[in-house]
Amino acid sequence: MVWEKTVFQKIRKSLEEVAVRKLFLVFAALGFVAAAQVLNIGIFEDLTTTNIWAQIGPDATVWNTYVLGGQHGSLYGSVAPTWTWLPSLADGFPSDFVEEDGKWVATVKIRQGITWTDGTPLTADDVVFTFNVLLTEVGEYRMALALGGNWPSYCPDTLLAVEKVDDYTVKFVYAEEPGLGEWTFGALTCPIVQKAYWEPKFQAALQTDDPAASLLAVVPEGEPILGGYQLVRWEPGAFAQVDKNPTYYATGESLTLYEGGGAVIENPRLGYYFEAYGGATGPVLHKLVEGPYVDSIIYPIYLNQDAAVLALQKGEIAMFLNPLGLAKGFEDRLKATPGVTIISNPPWGFRYLAFNMRREPMSYKAFRVAVATLIDREYVAESVFQGIITPMYSAVPESNPFWHNPDVVVYGKGLTHAQRVEEAVRILKEAGFSWDAEPKVVNPGTRNEAVVGVLPDGTEVPAPKGFKLPDGRYCPEIELLAPSAGYDPLRATFALYIEQWMKELAIPVKANLTGFNVIVNKVWAPEGFDFDMYILGWSLGNPAFPDYLYYFWHSSQDVPDGFNTPGYRNPEFDALAEAFLKAKSVEEARPLVFRMQEILAEDVPYVILFDTPIKEAYRADEIEFPYTEVLGGIQFVWPLTTVKALK
């Protein structure tokens, strides 16, 4: 009866709230209240947390970022659409590093006049506290590593301490002079939390058996934030709502970006002015003036794109956010809808197949190479999806040409299906795998092409069978997790083809098409990585510095809640990744990135599969953007405090 009572109370509360909203709209129409500007932006998955430590850590999903991103500021950041690195909470650029007593020290000044939503000022105490949490030793790890996700990128091993110089100056102390990944695109981009709110919760967590888990479990009610929008309501499974932060420090602040590479930041309210990279050099590319310009953004959750497209056509939402972009059939429908505009941008991400290298047979490189050889991206792209998807082969997409290596090995590329099967069998046999009935292609290149089995005496049987590991044991059943067709028909289709191609070789694999959050919860299970193979996708962070190459595949990230889901461990790759983070310039870092891509393509912890141009639809009669051309699409840089509502 407790459950029934709870449900009844929720239903009654919901009905009451609907009635209140309807009454409010009536009063607004009659002129008794000022109507708030509200944007409805559709999403396809629910939040999994409201806790910043979890949001940046094990719950680092794109859906959490859409709704919660930007609530916590950072000292510096790369600003779209040019990805220019500029101060945010900081006052100007950091000092140069100097050596003091065998350590390397630099200082950062913090802007004055910035306040949290509770009215208290942002000071050095908040910055120092944030880093002290990450630097605290809990068991055999620092808290940053125990929290997992993105936190280790903000607290590299070489960072020794962060200290207060005065109320608005912070000193960073490193064991050695840090590189771009440890400093410019590392510690200086860390989200900052309020000391007054989080310190008692952090101290309480330290008294438990698992401080990291305890901190991640905090439900942060009433947490002060710095960003332009603050979460005010979340109805799980239904919607989330963020409201404009009336104390947002950057409201009215302008950022002018110039063709010559210069930038000018001006905030008349705070009396702040800063020129970077030569200032006003050349014509103006963009002038971005901070809002927020809308009072609320409501994120209704839709089951699929079909439902969201219908809502967009009806004008119930201004747009929907989707890392997958707009599916082709829906694009055709929306092109005919008055008021709807469709934009296209190159992707900054990829969809991929990952192997759990901690388990057999995925632990064998030959097995991974054989599977990669069987996967015919070109066939799926051209014959199944007819050009909708773009096959991808390297860990850095070609949409970022400075960092992309076009010359990595691609197993099976250019081979016919029969040749792929024969090559995969050869690779597996040379590594010691075997069959009771070995696969053989008959009638290759004809309509009757088929894979049959061959017994040890040479007798052909209808199908291969009895796939065995190098030690002679039969291969255990393998689960291939992938999103359902309702969530992403592209990845679901790829999963079914991969299952079919592997089964042709009698490899016992079963595609399990399931929910996005179901996959996430298995891949990043509390006890460790609980999967065999899975297909998901990544948005790749800052295009100016692809440090995900370190965090996705460095052996130090092979820990619970880490991003190294395959458990990939390669000393040569580790050394390159470490050198990459320590590089002092992008010119020094570039050849390291090229070599890392080559190693990953050879070792195959992932098979990089494909991506699509990011097509997005929005109602141009309801919403206005300051720009629409940006790598990865508008969704990649959401939430935009410069977006405006036209109604």
Side-chain angles (χ1 to χ4, degrees):
M1 292 300 295
V2 172
W3 180 84
E4 292 175 351
K5 180 180 179 182
T6 301
V7 171
F8 174 76
Q9 289 172 336
K10 287 184 177 180
I11 293 172
R12 184 176 67 181
K13 181 182 178 183
S14 177
L15 291 172
E16 289 171 350
E17 289 168 348
V18 169
V20 169
R21 284 199 297 272
K22 287 183 176 178
L23 189 61
F24 178 86
L25 292 174
V26 170
F27 284 157
L30 294 174
F32 292 120
V33 295
Q37 277 198 316
V38 178
L39 279 177
N40 291 290
I41 308 293
I43 56 177
F44 297 97
E45 286 289 336
D46 206 349
L47 302 180
T48 59
T49 185
T50 58
N51 177 315
I52 180 61
W53 305 104
Q55 178 199 336
I56 303 298
D59 286 87
T61 73
V62 68
W63 307 102
N64 290 333
T65 300
Y66 285 153
V67 178
L68 305 173
Q71 289 195 134
H72 299 79
S74 58
L75 294 171
Y76 298 87
S78 296
V79 181
T82 59
W83 306 108
T84 305
W85 191 79
L86 289 166
S88 180
L89 302 177
D91 181 358
F93 287 140
S95 73
D96 293 334
F97 274 91
V98 296
E99 191 172 4
E100 294 182 1
D101 301 324
K103 300 171 184 176
W104 291 84
V105 174
T107 57
V108 174
K109 291 191 175 297
I110 300 167
R111 281 210 229 178
Q112 298 188 36
I114 298 175
T115 59
W116 299 91
T117 43
D118 64 1
T120 60
L122 168 74
T123 69
D125 291 321
D126 300 306
V127 178
V128 170
F129 169 75
T130 300
F131 281 97
N132 282 345
V133 170
L134 301 177
L135 288 163
T136 299
E137 297 287 340
V138 286
E140 56 183 301
Y141 304 118
R142 281 181 174 181
M143 181 66 85
L145 196 57
L147 291 171
N150 291 298
W151 290 113
S153 68
Y154 305 126
C155 186
D157 293 341
T158 53
L159 180 62
L160 300 179
V162 179
E163 301 169 355
K164 177 180 176 179
V165 177
D166 58 45
D167 284 347
Y168 293 97
T169 309
V170 175
K171 178 169 71 173
F172 289 79
V173 183
Y174 282 80
E176 57 191 46
E177 187 176 8
L180 294 172
E182 299 168 309
W183 178 236
T184 308
F185 298 103
L188 293 182
T189 61
C190 180
I192 304 301
V193 302
Q194 190 194 58
K195 177 182 179 180
Y197 181 86
W198 279 105
E199 186 170 41
K201 296 172 176 58
F202 174 60
Q203 293 300 327
L206 290 178
Q207 304 308 309
T208 66
D209 293 335
D210 191 339
S214 299
L215 192 61
L216 292 168
V218 172
V219 178
E221 297 179 354
E223 178 193 5
I225 58 103
L226 294 170
Y229 292 105
Q230 182 172 30
L231 182 72
V232 295
R233 188 170 177 197
W234 173 30
E235 291 291 335
F239 71 92
Q241 177 180 336
V242 298
D243 283 359
K244 177 170 66 176
N245 172 9
T247 69
Y248 181 43
Y249 71 95
T251 296
E253 179 171 296
S254 66
L255 167 63
T256 308
L257 300 167
Y258 295 86
E259 284 188 9
V264 174
I265 303 172
E266 187 170 10
N267 189 321
R269 187 168 59 86
L270 297 182
Y272 182 75
Y273 182 87
F274 179 70
E275 292 189 4
Y277 312 115
T281 53
V284 172
L285 276 176
H286 300 280
K287 184 167 184 178
L288 309 174
V289 181
E290 285 285 296
Y293 295 99
V294 297
D295 297 295
S296 299
I297 302 177
I298 297 174
Y299 298 94
I301 301 166
Y302 292 92
L303 294 177
N304 50 50
Q305 280 204 42
D306 192 19
V309 165
L310 183 60
L312 187 65
Q313 289 178 305
K314 291 180 176 179
E316 295 173 358
I317 56 176
M319 70 176 300
F320 54 83
L321 300 171
N322 187 359
L324 313 178
L326 184 65
K328 182 67 170 65
F330 299 129
E331 178 185 355
D332 294 337
R333 275 172 51 184
L334 289 170
K335 280 179 179 177
T337 303
V340 172
T341 295
I342 297 173
I343 57 175
S344 180
N345 282 286
W348 180 232
F350 54 67
R351 278 166 260 193
Y352 65 97
L353 168 70
F355 300 95
N356 189 343
M357 297 169 60
R358 307 167 192 85
R359 297 180 178 178
E360 293 182 307
M362 289 71 65
S363 55
Y364 293 93
K365 177 179 175 179
F367 177 82
R368 303 192 304 274
V369 170
V371 173
T373 301
L374 289 170
I375 296 173
D376 193 341
R377 305 167 179 82
E378 294 77 19
Y379 171 78
V380 178
E382 296 165 11
S383 300
V384 180
F385 292 120
Q386 300 179 347
I388 294 174
I389 70 172
T390 301
M392 298 181 70
Y393 310 100
S394 183
V396 178
E398 61 184 58
S399 57
N400 196 337
F402 181 83
W403 296 108
H404 170 70
N405 183 349
D407 298 319
V408 300
V409 64
V410 182
Y411 296 114
K413 189 174 184 181
L415 300 183
T416 66
H417 180 63
Q419 291 168 335
R420 288 175 182 274
V421 170
E422 291 169 351
E423 178 65 4
V425 170
R426 182 193 66 79
I427 292 167
L428 291 167
K429 286 178 65 177
E430 288 185 358
F433 290 89
S434 61
W435 291 262
D436 290 338
E438 181 180 308
K440 175 187 175 183
V441 180
V442 295
N443 304 317
T446 71
R447 294 185 63 182
N448 296 322
E449 180 178 292
V451 179
V452 301
V454 179
L455 297 174
D457 63 4
T459 303
E460 291 185 358
V461 293
K465 62 181 179 180
F467 180 60
K468 290 184 281 191
L469 304 176
D471 63 4
R473 290 179 295 121
Y474 287 109
C475 180
E477 184 169 290
I478 300 167
E479 181 183 46
L480 169 55
L481 295 164
S484 66
Y487 180 85
D488 182 8
L490 305 179
R491 279 180 288 189
T493 300
F494 249 102
L496 294 174
Y497 269 100
I498 291 171
E499 177 192 56
Q500 173 187 321
W501 291 325
M502 292 176 68
K503 280 186 172 179
E504 280 190 313
L505 271 63
I507 300 173
V509 63
K510 176 64 178 175
N512 180 5
L513 306 184
T514 185
F516 173 84
N517 284 338
V518 172
I519 301 172
V520 168
N521 290 334
K522 288 203 72 174
V523 173
W524 286 275
E527 311 79 35
F529 302 100
D530 183 21
F531 72 95
D532 296 323
M533 298 161 58
Y534 72 87
I535 297 178
L536 280 180
W538 286 117
S539 292
L540 298 177
N542 188 348
F545 195 75
D547 56 354
Y548 67 87
L549 290 165
Y550 178 97
Y551 295 101
F552 286 178
W553 294 293
H554 190 277
S555 61
S556 67
Q557 310 308 307
D558 179 17
V559 293
D561 296 331
F563 281 149
N564 185 353
T565 59
Y568 180 60
R569 291 175 175 268
N570 181 322
E572 181 187 358
F573 182 88
D574 280 0
L576 288 163
E578 291 160 13
F580 166 62
L581 292 187
K582 296 179 184 300
K584 303 299 190 296
S585 68
V586 293
E587 291 75 20
E588 180 185 346
R590 191 174 188 233
L592 302 172
V593 169
F594 272 47
R595 179 59 186 147
M596 282 192 280
Q597 291 173 74
E598 292 167 358
I599 294 174
L600 291 170
E602 293 162 7
D603 286 352
V604 211
Y606 281 11
V607 179
I608 311 297
L609 295 173
F610 71 97
D611 217 321
T612 60
I614 300 299
K615 294 190 177 182
E616 298 168 294
Y618 67 94
R619 296 203 64 97
D621 54 355
E622 292 189 23
I623 189 170
E624 180 181 66
F625 298 106
Y627 51 81
T628 56
E629 294 183 4
V630 57
L631 184 62
I634 292 294
Q635 54 89 22
F636 184 64
V637 292
W638 194 270
L640 283 171
T641 47
T642 49
V643 71
K644 295 180 180 179
L646 300 180
K647 289 185 178 180

